[in-house]
Amino acid sequence: MTVTELFGSRDRFEDRVVPVCGLRIRVRIRTGTGVPLVLCNGIGAGLEVLEPLVAALDPAATIISFDVPGTGGSPASPVPYAIPALACGLSRLLDEIGVGTVDVLGLSWGGALAQQFALQHPRRCRRLVLVATGTGALMIPGHPRVLSKMLTPRRFTDPAYASAVAGDLYGGAARRSGGDGDVARIFGKQRQTGSRVGYLHQLLAGALWTSLPVLPLIRQPTLVVAGTDDPIIPVLNARIMNALLPHATLHIHAGGHIDIVTDASGLAPVVTGFLAHPEKGESP
């Protein structure tokens, strides 16, 4: 299924390659209204993986998705990077495309980038949505048997392998009959797969980062979304984040790690409602 078939008129979408700090970053912009929503993807995943979520979100909203260095259509960085440097790069990317204040949604590994962006650029980030994510190096980890399957990007390049590991790795909708095949099809939508070097850089960046000591400094209204059947990020992490974030709302669902994509129609309205609900002092 093409982007046009999923979303309607292709005229609303613009794919660009934007120079940022000497790197070429692939960006997709869905033109709409209101505060743009920036999507930060999971480790190793190209922006096409998020298409079901984009299709299920408010059709009038502006949505910006991108490939971090070494994923999808963005070439790998020649040297490893840290999450704070990537958050700085995201701010420069927004400068390049002429976008100011944004909401940010981070899925899994992308949740680290989203948290860091909110911390470093508090005036630029209006609201924060953290989905199936944690606090990095200082968190309650999943089972080592599950996490070992995350050490390589093979699931993005081998559909049979993706189907074989999807249930145990992602839980939720991926465990149900046919769910493993849905995961393989979603991953198969990527026009380009990232490099092993890029994947390694993401692993290293995540391993050397934590938000646990600074969560009370993230002042934006934050929606924390977590599944009770998430083998990678146990749901207790979401409860800890909810307790430490000053302005957090917790949404627990019965699904797994990537249900925001595999069951987008069920979870996207939660995100849309949170972003649309006015806080004190805001206009509806």
Side-chain angles (χ1 to χ4, degrees):
M1 184 174 290
T2 67
V3 173
T4 305
E5 290 170 332
L6 272 171
F7 306 134
S9 174
R10 189 66 178 81
D11 294 341
R12 293 187 61 199
F13 290 84
E14 179 186 7
D15 284 357
R16 298 172 58 180
V17 175
V18 179
V20 179
C21 303
L23 301 174
R24 293 182 293 119
I25 304 299
R26 179 185 174 218
V27 182
R28 174 171 292 166
I29 304 168
R30 188 185 79 177
T31 304
T33 60
V35 177
L37 174 62
V38 176
L39 304 181
C40 301
N41 213 343
I43 189 170
L47 58 82
E48 288 90 357
V49 171
L50 296 173
E51 287 179 358
L53 172 59
V54 176
L57 289 169
D58 180 0
T62 297
I63 298 179
I64 301 167
S65 53
F66 64 99
D67 292 334
V68 301
T71 67
S74 297
S77 168
V79 295
Y81 51 78
I83 297 293
L86 200 58
C88 180
L90 176 55
S91 183
R92 293 192 181 186
L93 170 63
L94 295 174
D95 289 339
E96 289 289 335
I97 62 176
V99 172
T101 300
V102 295
D103 296 325
V104 182
L105 182 151
L107 168 62
S108 191
W109 185 95
L113 175 55
Q115 290 173 68
Q116 190 66 39
F117 182 84
L119 184 67
Q120 289 179 210
H121 305 280
R123 294 184 178 180
R124 191 162 210 174
C125 179
R126 185 189 70 137
R127 293 192 179 202
L128 187 61
V129 181
L130 303 175
V131 182
T133 193
T135 55
L138 299 177
M139 62 173 282
I140 298 169
H143 193 282
R145 176 179 55 81
V146 173
L147 298 182
S148 67
K149 296 181 174 67
M150 301 285 292
L151 295 178
T152 76
R154 182 181 172 189
R155 61 196 182 280
F156 296 113
T157 59
D158 184 343
Y161 178 76
S163 292
V165 303
D168 289 341
L169 186 58
Y170 298 119
R175 291 193 199 274
R176 298 195 288 268
S177 178
D180 50 359
D182 290 341
V183 171
R185 283 191 293 273
I186 290 170
F187 288 172
K189 291 178 183 177
Q190 298 181 97
R191 289 191 297 180
Q192 303 176 65
T193 55
S195 68
R196 289 184 177 273
V197 170
Y199 194 86
L200 177 60
H201 286 174
Q202 283 191 279
L203 282 175
L204 289 173
L208 298 174
W209 172 89
T210 184
S211 64
L212 189 63
V214 296
L215 282 180
L217 301 180
I218 297 178
R219 310 296 298 182
Q220 293 88 344
T222 303
L223 174 65
V224 180
V225 180
T228 56
D229 184 23
D230 185 341
I232 297 174
I233 308 288
V235 71
L236 185 54
N237 289 283
R239 300 190 185 281
I240 292 171
M241 296 177 74
N242 181 62
L244 294 177
L245 287 161
H247 305 291
T249 299
L250 180 62
H251 179 81
I252 302 292
H253 61 92
H257 190 69
I258 58 171
D259 275 36
I260 194 74
V261 174
T262 56
D263 184 26
S265 62
L267 289 176
V270 177
V271 175
T272 297
F274 170 76
L275 296 178
H277 183 71
E279 292 292 317
K280 184 177 180 181
E282 290 183 350
S283 298

Short mmCIF file of all heavy atoms in Angstrom, two decimals, residues 222-257:
data_model
loop_
_atom_site.label_atom_id
_atom_site.label_comp_id
_atom_site.label_asym_id
_atom_site.label_seq_id
_atom_site.Cartn_x
_atom_site.Cartn_y
_atom_site.Cartn_z
N THR A 222 2.92 15.84 29.65
CA THR A 222 3.45 14.62 29.04
C THR A 222 2.46 13.48 29.16
O THR A 222 1.93 13.21 30.24
CB THR A 222 4.78 14.21 29.74
OG1 THR A 222 5.71 15.30 29.66
CG2 THR A 222 5.38 12.99 29.08
N LEU A 223 2.23 12.82 28.05
CA LEU A 223 1.42 11.61 28.02
C LEU A 223 2.35 10.41 27.96
O LEU A 223 3.18 10.30 27.06
CB LEU A 223 0.50 11.61 26.80
CG LEU A 223 -0.32 10.32 26.56
CD1 LEU A 223 -1.31 10.08 27.69
CD2 LEU A 223 -1.03 10.39 25.21
N VAL A 224 2.23 9.51 28.93
CA VAL A 224 3.03 8.29 28.97
C VAL A 224 2.12 7.12 28.61
O VAL A 224 1.13 6.86 29.30
CB VAL A 224 3.66 8.08 30.37
CG1 VAL A 224 4.50 6.80 30.38
CG2 VAL A 224 4.51 9.29 30.76
N VAL A 225 2.45 6.44 27.52
CA VAL A 225 1.63 5.34 27.02
C VAL A 225 2.43 4.04 27.14
O VAL A 225 3.57 3.97 26.66
CB VAL A 225 1.23 5.56 25.55
CG1 VAL A 225 0.37 4.41 25.04
CG2 VAL A 225 0.50 6.89 25.39
N ALA A 226 1.85 3.03 27.76
CA ALA A 226 2.57 1.78 27.97
C ALA A 226 1.61 0.60 27.91
O ALA A 226 0.44 0.71 28.30
CB ALA A 226 3.29 1.79 29.32
N GLY A 227 2.12 -0.53 27.44
CA GLY A 227 1.34 -1.75 27.36
C GLY A 227 1.72 -2.74 28.45
O GLY A 227 2.89 -2.85 28.82
N THR A 228 0.74 -3.47 28.94
CA THR A 228 1.01 -4.47 29.98
C THR A 228 1.65 -5.73 29.42
O THR A 228 2.14 -6.57 30.17
CB THR A 228 -0.29 -4.84 30.70
OG1 THR A 228 -1.25 -5.32 29.74
CG2 THR A 228 -0.87 -3.65 31.44
N ASP A 229 1.67 -5.87 28.08
CA ASP A 229 2.30 -7.03 27.44
C ASP A 229 3.45 -6.55 26.56
O ASP A 229 3.52 -6.85 25.38
CB ASP A 229 1.26 -7.79 26.60
CG ASP A 229 1.82 -9.07 25.99
OD1 ASP A 229 2.81 -9.60 26.53
OD2 ASP A 229 1.29 -9.52 24.95
N ASP A 230 4.35 -5.77 27.16
CA ASP A 230 5.52 -5.25 26.45
C ASP A 230 6.76 -5.97 26.95
O ASP A 230 7.25 -5.69 28.05
CB ASP A 230 5.65 -3.74 26.69
CG ASP A 230 6.77 -3.10 25.89
OD1 ASP A 230 7.67 -3.83 25.43
OD2 ASP A 230 6.75 -1.86 25.72
N PRO A 231 7.32 -6.91 26.18
CA PRO A 231 8.48 -7.66 26.65
C PRO A 231 9.77 -6.84 26.70
O PRO A 231 10.71 -7.21 27.40
CB PRO A 231 8.62 -8.79 25.61
CG PRO A 231 7.30 -8.84 24.91
CD PRO A 231 6.80 -7.43 24.91
N ILE A 232 9.84 -5.73 25.96
CA ILE A 232 11.07 -4.95 25.87
C ILE A 232 11.15 -3.92 26.99
O ILE A 232 12.19 -3.76 27.64
CB ILE A 232 11.16 -4.25 24.49
CG1 ILE A 232 11.23 -5.29 23.38
CG2 ILE A 232 12.39 -3.34 24.43
CD1 ILE A 232 11.16 -4.70 21.99
N ILE A 233 10.06 -3.19 27.22
CA ILE A 233 10.01 -2.15 28.26
C ILE A 233 8.91 -2.52 29.25
O ILE A 233 7.73 -2.23 29.02
CB ILE A 233 9.72 -0.77 27.66
CG1 ILE A 233 10.67 -0.43 26.52
CG2 ILE A 233 9.78 0.30 28.76
CD1 ILE A 233 12.09 -0.13 26.95
N PRO A 234 9.23 -3.17 30.35
CA PRO A 234 8.19 -3.53 31.33
C PRO A 234 7.39 -2.31 31.77
O PRO A 234 7.92 -1.20 31.90
CB PRO A 234 9.00 -4.12 32.49
CG PRO A 234 10.25 -4.65 31.84
CD PRO A 234 10.55 -3.67 30.74
N VAL A 235 6.10 -2.53 32.00
CA VAL A 235 5.18 -1.42 32.27
C VAL A 235 5.53 -0.65 33.54
O VAL A 235 5.17 0.52 33.67
CB VAL A 235 3.74 -1.96 32.33
CG1 VAL A 235 3.52 -2.78 33.59
CG2 VAL A 235 2.72 -0.82 32.24
N LEU A 236 6.27 -1.25 34.45
CA LEU A 236 6.66 -0.54 35.67
C LEU A 236 7.48 0.71 35.35
O LEU A 236 7.45 1.70 36.09
CB LEU A 236 7.44 -1.46 36.60
CG LEU A 236 7.82 -0.91 37.97
CD1 LEU A 236 6.60 -0.39 38.72
CD2 LEU A 236 8.55 -1.96 38.81
N ASN A 237 8.22 0.69 34.23
CA ASN A 237 8.98 1.87 33.84
C ASN A 237 8.07 3.07 33.60
O ASN A 237 8.39 4.19 33.96
CB ASN A 237 9.79 1.57 32.57
CG ASN A 237 10.95 0.63 32.83
OD1 ASN A 237 11.98 1.03 33.37
ND2 ASN A 237 10.78 -0.62 32.44
N ALA A 238 6.92 2.82 32.98
CA ALA A 238 5.97 3.91 32.73
C ALA A 238 5.44 4.48 34.04
O ALA A 238 5.25 5.69 34.17
CB ALA A 238 4.83 3.40 31.86
N ARG A 239 5.20 3.61 35.00
CA ARG A 239 4.70 4.08 36.30
C ARG A 239 5.75 4.94 37.01
O ARG A 239 5.42 5.94 37.67
CB ARG A 239 4.28 2.89 37.16
CG ARG A 239 3.17 2.06 36.52
CD ARG A 239 2.61 1.03 37.48
NE ARG A 239 1.64 0.15 36.83
CZ ARG A 239 0.37 0.47 36.58
NH1 ARG A 239 -0.08 1.67 36.93
NH2 ARG A 239 -0.43 -0.39 36.00
N ILE A 240 7.01 4.56 36.89
CA ILE A 240 8.09 5.36 37.49
C ILE A 240 8.17 6.72 36.81
O ILE A 240 8.28 7.76 37.47
CB ILE A 240 9.43 4.61 37.37
CG1 ILE A 240 9.41 3.35 38.26
CG2 ILE A 240 10.60 5.52 37.74
CD1 ILE A 240 10.59 2.43 38.06
N MET A 241 8.11 6.72 35.48
CA MET A 241 8.17 7.99 34.76
C MET A 241 6.98 8.88 35.11
O MET A 241 7.13 10.09 35.30
CB MET A 241 8.21 7.72 33.25
CG MET A 241 9.45 6.98 32.79
SD MET A 241 9.42 6.60 31.03
CE MET A 241 9.73 8.21 30.35
N ASN A 242 5.82 8.28 35.22
CA ASN A 242 4.63 9.04 35.57
C ASN A 242 4.76 9.68 36.95
O ASN A 242 4.30 10.80 37.18
CB ASN A 242 3.41 8.11 35.54
CG ASN A 242 2.13 8.82 35.88
OD1 ASN A 242 1.71 9.73 35.17
ND2 ASN A 242 1.48 8.41 36.96
N ALA A 243 5.43 8.98 37.85
CA ALA A 243 5.61 9.51 39.21
C ALA A 243 6.63 10.65 39.25
O ALA A 243 6.51 11.56 40.08
CB ALA A 243 6.05 8.39 40.15
N LEU A 244 7.62 10.62 38.36
CA LEU A 244 8.70 11.60 38.41
C LEU A 244 8.49 12.81 37.50
O LEU A 244 9.04 13.88 37.77
CB LEU A 244 10.03 10.92 38.06
CG LEU A 244 10.53 9.88 39.05
CD1 LEU A 244 11.82 9.24 38.56
CD2 LEU A 244 10.76 10.50 40.43
N LEU A 245 7.72 12.65 36.45
CA LEU A 245 7.43 13.77 35.57
C LEU A 245 6.40 14.68 36.23
O LEU A 245 5.35 14.21 36.68
CB LEU A 245 6.91 13.27 34.23
CG LEU A 245 7.95 12.62 33.31
CD1 LEU A 245 7.28 11.76 32.25
CD2 LEU A 245 8.84 13.68 32.66
N PRO A 246 6.65 15.97 36.30
CA PRO A 246 5.75 16.87 37.05
C PRO A 246 4.35 16.98 36.49
O PRO A 246 3.39 17.20 37.24
CB PRO A 246 6.47 18.23 36.97
CG PRO A 246 7.89 17.90 36.68
CD PRO A 246 7.87 16.67 35.84
N HIS A 247 4.19 16.85 35.16
CA HIS A 247 2.89 17.07 34.54
C HIS A 247 2.55 15.91 33.61
O HIS A 247 2.30 16.10 32.42
CB HIS A 247 2.88 18.40 33.77
CG HIS A 247 3.28 19.58 34.60
ND1 HIS A 247 2.49 20.07 35.62
CD2 HIS A 247 4.40 20.35 34.58
CE1 HIS A 247 3.09 21.10 36.19
NE2 HIS A 247 4.25 21.29 35.58
N ALA A 248 2.53 14.73 34.18
CA ALA A 248 2.33 13.51 33.38
C ALA A 248 0.91 12.98 33.48
O ALA A 248 0.25 13.11 34.51
CB ALA A 248 3.32 12.43 33.82
N THR A 249 0.48 12.38 32.37
CA THR A 249 -0.77 11.61 32.31
C THR A 249 -0.40 10.21 31.86
O THR A 249 0.30 10.04 30.86
CB THR A 249 -1.76 12.23 31.31
OG1 THR A 249 -2.07 13.55 31.72
CG2 THR A 249 -3.03 11.40 31.22
N LEU A 250 -0.85 9.20 32.59
CA LEU A 250 -0.48 7.82 32.27
C LEU A 250 -1.64 7.10 31.60
O LEU A 250 -2.77 7.14 32.08
CB LEU A 250 -0.09 7.08 33.56
CG LEU A 250 0.33 5.61 33.42
CD1 LEU A 250 1.58 5.47 32.56
CD2 LEU A 250 0.56 5.00 34.81
N HIS A 251 -1.34 6.46 30.48
CA HIS A 251 -2.34 5.64 29.79
C HIS A 251 -1.77 4.23 29.65
O HIS A 251 -0.81 4.00 28.92
CB HIS A 251 -2.67 6.20 28.41
CG HIS A 251 -3.68 5.36 27.67
ND1 HIS A 251 -5.04 5.45 27.89
CD2 HIS A 251 -3.51 4.37 26.73
CE1 HIS A 251 -5.67 4.58 27.10
NE2 HIS A 251 -4.77 3.92 26.40
N ILE A 252 -2.38 3.28 30.36
CA ILE A 252 -1.98 1.88 30.29
C ILE A 252 -2.98 1.13 29.42
O ILE A 252 -4.20 1.27 29.59
CB ILE A 252 -1.95 1.25 31.70
CG1 ILE A 252 -0.98 2.01 32.61
CG2 ILE A 252 -1.55 -0.22 31.61
CD1 ILE A 252 0.46 1.90 32.24
N HIS A 253 -2.46 0.34 28.49
CA HIS A 253 -3.33 -0.48 27.64
C HIS A 253 -2.87 -1.93 27.71
O HIS A 253 -1.80 -2.23 28.26
CB HIS A 253 -3.32 0.04 26.19
CG HIS A 253 -1.97 0.00 25.54
ND1 HIS A 253 -1.51 -1.06 24.80
CD2 HIS A 253 -0.96 0.92 25.53
CE1 HIS A 253 -0.31 -0.82 24.35
NE2 HIS A 253 0.07 0.38 24.78
N ALA A 254 -3.66 -2.81 27.16
CA ALA A 254 -3.39 -4.25 27.28
C ALA A 254 -2.47 -4.78 26.19
O ALA A 254 -2.24 -5.98 26.12
CB ALA A 254 -4.70 -5.02 27.26
N GLY A 255 -1.94 -3.90 25.36
CA GLY A 255 -1.14 -4.33 24.22
C GLY A 255 0.34 -4.41 24.50
O GLY A 255 0.79 -4.47 25.65
N GLY A 256 1.12 -4.39 23.41
CA GLY A 256 2.55 -4.61 23.50
C GLY A 256 3.37 -3.40 23.09
O GLY A 256 2.91 -2.26 23.11
N HIS A 257 4.62 -3.69 22.67
CA HIS A 257 5.62 -2.66 22.47
C HIS A 257 5.32 -1.74 21.30
O HIS A 257 5.56 -0.53 21.37
CB HIS A 257 7.00 -3.31 22.29
CG HIS A 257 8.13 -2.34 22.31
ND1 HIS A 257 8.51 -1.67 23.44
CD2 HIS A 257 8.96 -1.91 21.31
CE1 HIS A 257 9.54 -0.88 23.17
NE2 HIS A 257 9.82 -1.00 21.88
#
